[in-house]
Amino acid sequence: MTFDDEYYMRRALNEAQNAFDHGEVPVGAVAVCDGKIIGRAWNQVEQLKDATAHAEILVITQAAAAIGDWRLENVDIYVTKEPCAMCAGAMVNSRVRRLIFGLGDPRSGAAGGALDVTGFSGMLHNVEVTSGILAEECRELMQSFFKLVRGSSENNKSKFY
């Protein structure tokens, strides 16, 4: 059985829902090699008290452990929101083959949104990028989270920020 980008993005959305359920910004990611999911993660910045605990960083670590190498040349990463500069840089440095994301981020995305770290010609590696996969579902989850956070904040009950 072969799966398509939507299938794997739905798995990433499941991870993003985990983040949402734990009070984290709902970003989820899965790493795929040879059609098999070898890593899955969700944002855990608040839980781990670690600014680098983005879903993409966590899934890169899992993928490297799964294949036994830091070079992820045959790995595709699916993530619900366009990666920031840190995460895009990690994908370049780990030589991820392909990045597939849902929701673009024109303010701070670094895979063609605000910056293009993944395709910058001066890098030793460029990551192939596909965007907009299940973008509306990704957007809805993100918007639901921030509506909840803002509502909680107004009631002085926010545990999120």
Side-chain angles (χ1 to χ4, degrees), residues 17-137:
Q17 184 65 53
N18 286 335
F20 184 103
D21 294 345
H22 286 86
E24 300 277 355
V25 175
V27 176
V30 297
V32 177
C33 184
D34 298 325
K36 180 181 175 193
I37 294 175
I38 60 169
R40 57 182 76 234
W42 43 275
N43 271 3
Q44 296 180 47
V45 171
E46 298 298 328
Q47 181 177 336
L48 298 176
K49 306 297 184 223
D50 179 354
T52 68
H54 290 196
E56 301 95 323
I57 299 296
L58 298 172
V59 87
I60 286 169
T61 300
Q62 290 178 15
I67 66 171
D69 195 353
W70 63 269
R71 294 171 192 86
L72 304 180
E73 295 160 335
N74 295 313
V75 175
D76 301 332
I77 294 183
Y78 291 79
V79 63
T80 55
K81 187 188 86 52
E82 181 179 357
C84 69
M86 173 184 68
C87 294
M91 289 180 196
V92 168
N93 288 340
S94 60
R95 296 183 174 91
V96 166
R97 176 176 59 192
R98 188 167 166 242
L99 161 65
I100 305 90
F101 68 85
L103 178 62
D105 185 352
R107 185 175 63 90
S108 61
L115 305 166
D116 191 8
V117 171
T118 53
F120 184 67
S121 62
M123 297 292 200
L124 294 175
H125 175 76
N126 290 141
V127 179
E128 179 185 334
V129 175
T130 301
S131 62
I133 305 298
L134 301 180
E136 193 53 39
E137 289 92 331

